[in-house]
Amino acid sequence: MRLCPVVIYAFIIIIGFLEGIIALGGDDRNEITVGAIFYENEKEIELSFDQAFREVNNMKFSELRFVTIKRYMPTNDSFLLQQITCELISNGVAAIFGPSSKAASDIVAQIANATGIPHIEYDLKLEATRQEQLNHQMSINVAPSLSVLSRAYFEIIKSNYEWRTFTLIYETPEGLARLQDLMNIQALNSDYVKLRNLADYADDYRILWKETDETFHEQRIILDCEPKTLKELLKVSIDFKLQGPFRNWFLTHLDTHNSGLRDIYNEDFKANITSVRLKVVDANPFERKKTRLTKVDQILGNQTMLPILIYDAVVLFASSARNVIRAMQPFHPPNRHCGSSSPWMLGAFIVNEMKTISEDDVEPHFKTENMKLDEYGQRIHFNLEIYKPTVNEPMMVWTPDNGIKKRLLNLELESAGTTQDFSEQRKVYTVVTHYEEPYFMMKEDHENFRGREKYEGYAWISLASFPSSWSSITEFMIVNGNGKYNPETKQWDGIIRKLIDHHAQIGVCDLTITQMRRSVVDFTVPFMQLGISILHYKSPPEPKNQFAFLEPFAVEVWIYMIFAQLIMTLAFVFIARLSYREWLPPNPAIQDPDELENIWNVNNSTWLMVGSIMQQGCDILPRGPHMRILTSMWWFFALMMLSTYTANLAFLTSNKWQSSIKSPQDLIEQDKVHFGSMRGGSTSLFFSESNDTDYQRAWNQMKDFNPSAFTSTNKEGVARVRKEKGGYAFLMETTSLTYNIERNCDLTQIGEQIGEKHYGLAVPLGSDYRTNLSVSILQLSERGELQKMKNKWWKNHNVTCDSYHEVDGDELSIIELGGVFLVLAGGVLIGVILGIFEFLWNVQNVAVEERVTPWQAFKAELIFALKFWVRKKPMRISSSSDKSSSRRSSGSRRSSKEKSRSKTVS
C-alpha cells in the first residue's frame, strides 16, 4: 500500500518536531544540527555518514557537537524532495548532505543557495552550466570532477597505454561524460574510435560483442558501466574470445572493484583487464589494528566510493565549521524558514572555508588522497589508483600534477595478492609472413623437418635470435604478399590484413614502413635501410677478337689502303723518272759525270710511303715541286687515316655492354625500354604519391604501357627482365635487387639509389610488445648480428660470374691486342730469317774474298758477332791469310762493298 505525499509529509513534520524537542534538551551553543537525505537502498552510505560524525564528535572540538537529522526518499519525486529540504531547514540544520545522483532535480541546491545553508554532495554529477553555477553557490561536491576525471582517463590511455584505436562502450550519461576526452583522441574518426551505448544492446549483449570482434576486430575496449551489470557483460564476452590473450580492457567505473568480478575470474580470462579507483590514504603500519571489524569498517575497507566520499564530506564540513564558528563568536544559528529572504550569514563563510582548507588541517583525516576544490566547489584534485580488478593488484597512481607513476607496494599488499593472474601467462605469438627470398623460404630438404624447423631465411633467423624470455613463437601463417590497399573496397590484404584482424601478432618479411601502413598497424624500429633502384638486363660481351686492332676500319678500307700504297709507290717511281730534278750524279765530287742516277726506285719509294703512314718520316725527300705536291697529298691522306683509326680504336676499349639508361630520367626520355614495378607495393606507392615531376611522369608512363608494366611479385619482375633481354627494366627495392644480382650474372643495377626506405616488423595497432621487439632489434644491431645475417643470406652463395663481369676499366685485354703481338712476332721472325740468310750470304762472300773455307768464315763471323762489347770490326776477320793478301783482300772487299752500296742506292 502506497502512502500519499501529504501523509508522508505530515509524518516527517512530527519526527522533526520530536527531534527539535530532544535537541532543546541540551546546550544549543555546543550543538550543530546537520541534515542528510538518503534513498531507501543507500544503507551503506548512511552507515558511513553516521560513523564519520561519531568520530568527529569523539574529537571534542571545543565542546562542539554535531547532531544529525536524516530523511529518506522512497521515490525520485521532486516535490517530495523540496518538502523534505524545507522541513530540514525548519529544524535549523547548518548543512544538508545529499541526495545522491539519483535525484533528477537540483531543488536542494537551489533552496540551499537561497537560504545560505551549505549543501554538500558526494556523488559524480554532470558538469553544471554557468547559470546552474550561479544557483549552486552554496553547493560543495567532494566527488571527482567529471572533466578532470575524463582528462585522467585520457592521459592513462593516450600517454601510458598508448592506445590509438579502441571501442568505447558506456551505459549512463555520466559514463559518457567520463569518456569525453577519450573521444577526442582521434577526433571521433570511426576507423580509430568506435562509440557504442549499452542501451542499444540491452536485449542481447551478444550482438555487441559479435560486432566488436568480427566487425571492429577490436583488441582494446574501454567499458563504463555500473558494477552490477559488469559480471554479466564479461561472461558473455568470453564466447567471442574477447577475454583471450592480446585483448585489453579498461574499466572506468570507480567502483569496479566491488562488482564481484573476482568471483567469476578463472583461466578463461587471459585478457589484460585494468581499472581505476580513488586512491585512499595508505594505512599506518604502526597503527593498532582492530581485532573486531564492524560492518561499517568492512564497508570502508572495501573502498566503496560513495561511503568513502560521504565520510570525507563530513570531515570536510566539520573541520570547516569548527574553524568558522571559533572565529566568529557569538554563534548565530541558521534561519528556520525555507522562504527566508535573508541567507544565513555563517553559511557562506563555511563554504568558503571548505574550498580553501588544507587537508593537513582536518581531523580526523580524509579517507581519500589529495582533496582540493575549485572556486565553484568542484573537486579538481584527487589521486587515482590504476589496478587489476581481477586480482586486486595495484599497478600505478595518477595525480593531476605529476601524471602517472608506478605504485610502490608495501609488504602487506604484496602478500595479499595471492590470486593467480592468468593474463601474465606466457603468450603464444603467431607470425604472419610470405615466401620471399631471402627473407623467408622453405629449406631444400624441408620434407625431413617439422614445424618451425622447415623454414629458413633472414627474417626467420632474426626472430629466432630474439630473447625467449618474453615470447614464444610456435607457428607461422603464410599469406600471399606483404599487404596491398584496394582503394575500391578500402581493404588491405596479405600480412597487413591478418594483423588488422588480429589473426597474427607479428608480421615479418620485406615489409616497408609507409605512412599508409602505419595508419592501420604499428612498426618496430627498422632492421634494414634501403632505397629504390633500376634492375636491368646485362647482355653478355661478344667473343673477343685477337685482331681487334683491325676493327676500326672495314675490310674493304684495309684493301683500298693496300692498293693505294701500291699505286702511290708506282706513281711515285714513274713521276720521279720524268722529273729532271730527281736525276743526280752518283758521286757529288765529280763535277762532270758521265751518267746520272735516280734514287726513287721501288725500294726507296715504298720506304717513304710506309714511313709516312706510320708517322715516322724518311731520310730522303723529293726535290721537284710536283714530287713534293704528290708527297704532301700522301702525307695528308696518311694523317687523316691515322687520326680516324685512332678515334675509332677508342670504341674498342669497353669490355662490357654499356646501357644508355643511368637514372629514372633516362628511362622517361626513351621509349624503347618499358619499365614498371610491383603492383600495389611500396615502390609503386612511392612514385604514385611523389610530388617530384619526373617521378610523376614515370608513374604516368608505367600506367600507360601496354602490356602492363606492373607485376604481382618481385620474382615475376626479375623473371620478366631476364626474359625480355633488355626490353624491360624493373624498379624495385635495393635489398632484393642486390640479392638477385648476386645470383644472376645477366642482371645489373642501373643508376643510384632513389629515396630512403626502411624495413620493420609490423604488429597490430597499440600492441604492448612492440617495445620488446624494438629493443631486441637494437640489441642485435649493436652486436653486429644483423649485418652478419645479411652477409650470410646475400653474399654466401655458389654462383660465380665470369671475370669480365667484374672489369670496370677502359683497357683492352690481351686477347683483343693479341693480333698486334702476332704481327710484331711475325715481323720480327721475318726480319730474323732474312738476317740469317744475309749473314750466310755474307759468310760465303767472305770465304771467297779471303780465300778461306766457308766454315772458317762462318766461325770467325759468328764469334765476332757474339762479342757485344767490341764496337769496331777489322777489315779482315780470318787469320789464315798474310798481311799483303789482307791488304789486297781488304781493298778488293772495300771496292766491292762500295759497288754493292752504290747499287743499293741506285
Side-chain angles (χ1 to χ4, degrees):
M1 181 178 179
R2 187 173 180 182
L3 299 177
C4 64
V6 177
V7 176
I8 295 175
Y9 180 68
F11 180 74
I12 292 173
I13 292 295
I14 295 173
I15 296 295
F17 179 75
L18 294 176
E19 290 180 349
I21 295 175
I22 296 172
L24 291 175
D27 187 357
D28 290 341
R29 292 176 301 173
N30 295 331
E31 292 184 354
I32 300 296
T33 304
V34 296
I37 302 175
F38 301 106
Y39 284 93
E40 290 183 344
N41 58 348
E42 295 179 340
K43 188 63 177 177
E44 292 184 351
I45 303 175
E46 181 185 354
L47 291 176
S48 180
F49 175 78
D50 293 338
Q51 177 66 19
F53 272 114
R54 189 178 301 115
E55 294 183 9
V56 167
N57 289 330
N58 290 337
M59 301 301 295
K60 298 181 180 180
F61 295 146
S62 301
E63 300 179 354
L64 191 65
R65 193 170 68 89
F66 294 92
V67 177
T68 61
I69 301 177
K70 296 179 289 185
R71 295 292 179 260
Y72 304 94
M73 285 284 297
T75 58
N76 189 9
D77 189 337
S78 299
F79 177 72
L80 180 60
L81 184 60
Q82 178 182 358
Q83 290 179 325
I84 291 177
T85 303
C86 289
E87 185 269 331
L88 289 175
I89 291 176
S90 66
N91 283 300
V93 295
I96 299 177
F97 289 82
S100 62
S101 60
K102 295 178 182 179
S105 172
D106 64 342
I107 187 64
V108 178
Q110 294 188 33
I111 295 175
N113 189 59
T115 57
I117 302 299
H119 174 223
I120 299 95
E121 297 177 300
Y122 50 88
D123 200 357
L124 299 173
K125 290 191 176 182
L126 296 175
E127 298 291 327
T129 63
R130 178 59 181 167
Q131 182 61 39
E132 290 175 339
Q133 289 175 353
L134 294 175
N135 295 329
H136 298 173
Q137 296 184 36
M138 297 301 296
S139 297
I140 295 291
N141 195 343
V142 297
S145 167
L146 288 182
S147 61
V148 180
L149 192 61
S150 178
R151 178 169 64 88
Y153 293 162
F154 178 88
E155 292 182 9
I156 294 172
I157 296 299
K158 179 74 172 179
S159 303
N160 188 64
Y161 290 177
E162 297 182 352
W163 291 3
R164 288 187 292 162
T165 173
F166 46 81
T167 295
L168 288 171
I169 303 174
Y170 70 96
E171 184 177 15
T172 62
E174 291 80 10
L176 181 61
R178 288 193 286 269
L179 306 177
Q180 188 64 43
D181 283 354
L182 292 178
M183 293 189 295
N184 297 328
I185 286 183
Q186 294 290 351
L188 280 182
N189 188 329
S190 59
D191 294 333
Y192 295 93
V193 178
K194 283 75 71 176
L195 186 65
R196 292 295 180 267
N197 188 352
L198 274 179
D200 299 335
Y201 304 89
D203 296 335
D204 192 351
Y205 291 139
R206 292 177 299 176
I207 300 176
L208 170 64
W209 298 136
K210 183 177 181 180
E211 180 185 22
T212 303
D213 179 54
E214 299 181 3
T215 304
F216 299 158
H217 306 290
E218 191 59 77
Q219 291 291 97
R220 289 161 290 278
I221 301 172
I222 300 176
L223 177 61
D224 189 292
C225 68
E226 295 297 324
K228 59 184 179 182
T229 60
L230 180 61
K231 290 171 60 175
E232 180 184 358
L233 280 170
L234 297 189
K235 271 186 178 181
V236 176
S237 69
I238 295 177
D239 298 334
F240 298 90
K241 300 180 180 179
L242 293 176
Q243 295 299 333
F246 307 107
R247 305 279 186 169
N248 296 274
W249 292 71
F250 182 64
L251 310 179
T252 60
H253 200 283
L254 298 180
D255 256 344
T256 299
H257 54 286
N258 290 312
S259 62
L261 181 60
R262 298 178 67 183
D263 299 336
I264 64 170
Y265 185 63
N266 54 41
E267 62 273 7
D268 294 332
F269 288 85
K270 293 184 173 61
N272 181 33
I273 304 176
T274 56
S275 184
V276 291
R277 60 190 173 196
L278 285 173
K279 176 69 171 62
V280 298
V281 177
D282 292 331
N284 186 354
F286 304 103
E287 184 179 355
R288 182 179 179 183
K289 294 180 173 57
K290 295 183 179 181
T291 57
R292 183 180 179 182
L293 296 178
T294 62
K295 185 175 183 180
V296 69
D297 291 332
Q298 296 176 356
I299 294 172
L300 295 176
N302 291 335
Q303 302 182 29
T304 310
M305 182 181 68
L306 294 185
I308 287 181
L309 288 178
I310 199 171
Y311 181 96
D312 286 351
V314 169
V315 172
L316 178 63
F317 169 75
S319 300
S320 301
R322 176 198 62 186
N323 295 342
V324 171
I325 293 174
R326 278 180 177 177
M328 302 185 68
Q329 293 292 340
F331 173 70
H332 297 281
N335 298 322
R336 294 177 178 266
H337 302 287
C338 189
S340 175
S341 58
S342 57
W344 183 37
M345 180 181 63
L346 295 183
F349 290 101
I350 295 176
V351 169
N352 186 66
E353 179 70 11
M354 293 173 69
K355 295 177 182 178
T356 58
I357 192 172
S358 172
E359 55 186 345
D360 296 330
D361 297 334
V362 299
E363 196 173 0
H365 296 296
F366 293 131
K367 293 292 184 182
T368 60
E369 293 182 347
N370 200 3
M371 172 78 73
K372 187 176 181 180
L373 309 178
D374 64 5
E375 57 180 325
Y376 301 109
Q378 299 298 309
R379 183 174 181 178
I380 58 174
H381 276 215
F382 52 88
N383 295 347
L384 292 179
E385 184 177 65
I386 306 171
Y387 69 106
K388 291 185 175 182
T390 52
V391 292
N392 197 29
E393 177 187 341
M395 300 169 58
M396 292 168 287
V397 174
W398 176 88
T399 61
D401 297 329
N402 301 320
I404 300 173
K405 290 186 177 181
K406 188 175 181 181
R407 176 82 156 90
L408 298 178
L409 302 179
N410 55 40
L411 296 177
E412 181 180 355
L413 288 175
E414 289 180 349
S415 61
T418 57
T419 305
Q420 182 179 0
D421 188 359
F422 297 105
S423 66
E424 293 185 353
Q425 291 182 349
R426 187 177 180 88
K427 297 178 180 178
V428 176
Y429 291 79
T430 300
V431 174
V432 58
T433 184
H434 72 97
Y435 292 120
E436 182 70 29
E437 297 180 356
Y439 304 97
F440 188 84
M441 47 195 173
M442 300 280 283
K443 293 181 178 178
E444 294 182 359
D445 55 345
H446 60 88
E447 299 87 357
N448 302 328
F449 299 93
R450 299 182 62 183
R452 299 186 301 172
E453 302 300 325
K454 297 188 299 182
Y455 308 110
E456 65 177 359
Y458 177 84
W460 163 230
I461 297 298
S462 299
L463 284 176
S465 301
F466 286 171
S468 59
S469 58
W470 60 271
S471 66
S472 176
I473 301 173
T474 59
E475 64 178 65
F476 283 88
M477 183 182 295
I478 312 299
V479 295
N480 296 322
N482 284 327
K484 303 173 185 175
Y485 180 74
N486 189 330
E488 297 179 359
T489 61
K490 296 183 178 180
Q491 296 294 326
W492 290 84
D493 61 6
I495 292 176
I496 304 298
R497 178 77 265 163
K498 295 300 181 181
L499 294 175
I500 293 175
D501 295 343
H502 297 278
H503 295 161
Q505 286 71 52
I506 303 174
V508 55
C509 206
D510 54 335
L511 198 59
T512 308
I513 302 174
T514 65
Q515 185 58 39
M516 181 174 288
R517 287 172 176 169
R518 288 189 62 188
S519 65
V520 292
V521 297
D522 279 336
F523 283 93
T524 63
V525 296
F527 62 82
M528 188 177 293
Q529 181 177 335
L530 59 143
I532 301 173
S533 193
I534 305 171
L535 180 70
H536 205 193
Y537 182 75
K538 179 170 58 179
S539 299
E542 297 180 359
K544 295 181 179 180
N545 184 10
Q546 291 183 346
F547 297 93
F549 68 95
L550 297 176
E551 292 182 358
F553 290 155
V555 176
E556 57 269 20
V557 176
W558 289 111
I559 295 174
Y560 290 150
M561 287 182 64
I562 294 174
F563 274 108
Q565 175 83 21
L566 295 176
I567 293 173
M568 282 297 297
T569 300
L570 295 177
F572 208 82
V573 172
F574 177 71
I575 294 175
R577 294 185 67 83
L578 297 177
S579 175
Y580 73 93
R581 295 178 183 273
E582 304 302 330
W583 292 95
L584 298 174
N587 190 349
I590 302 175
Q591 296 295 328
D592 189 14
D594 295 334
E595 60 182 5
L596 300 175
E597 66 177 354
N598 195 323
I599 63 174
W600 297 111
N601 53 25
V602 175
N603 292 336
N604 289 342
S605 298
T606 302
W607 182 248
L608 175 64
M609 299 301 153
V610 173
S612 299
I613 205 75
M614 295 295 182
Q615 294 290 296
Q616 298 300 317
C618 184
D619 54 348
I620 54 176
L621 294 173
R623 293 172 177 269
H626 55 286
M627 289 292 293
R628 290 183 176 182
I629 292 174
L630 188 64
T631 304
S632 298
M633 291 300 100
W634 177 251
W635 285 350
F636 173 77
F637 172 78
L639 177 64
M640 292 297 101
M641 296 304 294
L642 182 62
S643 299
T644 305
Y645 177 85
T646 304
N648 287 343
L649 187 63
F651 290 97
L652 299 176
T653 58
S654 178
N655 220 5
K656 300 160 66 176
W657 175 82
Q658 297 292 335
S659 173
S660 60
I661 302 173
K662 302 294 183 181
S663 65
Q665 286 76 11
D666 296 336
L667 279 176
I668 298 170
E669 300 300 335
Q670 56 83 44
D671 55 2
K672 294 183 179 180
V673 179
H674 288 190
F675 56 93
S677 62
M678 188 173 72
R679 182 182 293 105
S682 60
T683 302
S684 299
L685 188 66
F686 173 82
F687 284 94
S688 64
E689 295 188 351
S690 175
N691 295 325
D692 186 88
T693 304
D694 291 335
Y695 295 161
Q696 278 295 321
R697 289 178 58 193
W699 173 249
N700 292 330
Q701 290 186 22
M702 282 190 278
K703 293 191 297 182
D704 295 338
F705 285 137
N706 188 20
S708 175
F710 297 104
T711 63
S712 58
T713 62
N714 282 335
K715 190 174 183 179
E716 180 183 340
V718 173
R720 184 170 175 180
V721 170
R722 302 182 67 186
K723 179 181 179 181
E724 299 195 12
K725 298 184 181 301
Y728 179 77
F730 190 57
L731 296 163
M732 65 188 305
E733 292 161 341
T734 52
T735 49
S736 299
L737 184 146
T738 304
Y739 177 81
N740 285 281
I741 290 177
E742 288 284 342
R743 286 155 178 78
N744 298 281
C745 298
D746 56 352
L747 296 177
T748 184
Q749 176 180 344
I750 295 179
E752 299 295 330
Q753 174 178 305
I754 305 171
E756 181 176 328
K757 304 162 70 176
H758 300 88
Y759 287 159
L761 303 183
V763 296
L765 277 175
S767 300
D768 53 359
Y769 50 88
R770 178 174 65 118
T771 302
N772 292 334
L773 288 172
S774 296
V775 170
S776 298
I777 291 175
L778 291 176
Q779 291 174 346
L780 291 176
S781 178
E782 291 172 356
R783 296 198 305 263
E785 296 295 332
L786 292 181
Q787 187 61 40
K788 291 180 182 178
M789 288 185 286
K790 185 175 181 181
N791 292 336
K792 173 183 178 181
W793 293 104
W794 265 258
K795 299 294 183 181
N796 293 347
H797 52 79
N798 297 323
V799 178
T800 302
C801 298
D802 294 336
S803 59
Y804 56 76
H805 287 283
E806 300 176 359
V807 176
D808 197 23
D810 293 332
E811 67 274 8
L812 288 172
S813 67
I814 186 62
I815 298 178
E816 292 169 313
L817 291 178
V820 177
F821 287 90
L822 290 177
V823 171
L824 175 62
V828 171
L829 182 61
I830 293 173
V832 170
I833 294 174
L834 291 177
I836 292 174
F837 277 111
E838 185 181 12
F839 176 78
L840 295 177
W841 179 262
N842 182 58
V843 167
Q844 182 65 29
N845 292 335
V846 169
V848 172
E849 293 177 0
E850 297 185 1
R851 299 176 183 180
V852 294
T853 62
W855 171 249
Q856 289 176 333
F858 175 79
K859 182 179 179 181
E861 290 289 337
L862 180 61
I863 292 174
F864 178 80
L866 294 176
K867 295 179 179 181
F868 298 102
W869 58 91
V870 178
R871 301 178 61 182
K872 295 182 180 181
K873 185 176 182 181
M875 294 300 296
R876 179 181 175 84
I877 298 178
S878 174
S879 59
S880 62
S881 301
D882 56 5
K883 294 180 180 180
S884 59
S885 61
S886 295
R887 293 192 189 97
R888 289 194 298 269
S889 176
S890 298
S892 62
R893 287 174 59 191
R894 185 183 301 111
S895 61
S896 64
K897 288 181 179 180
E898 289 177 355
K899 291 178 181 179
S900 63
R901 184 181 298 111
S902 63
K903 290 179 180 180
T904 303
V905 173
S906 63

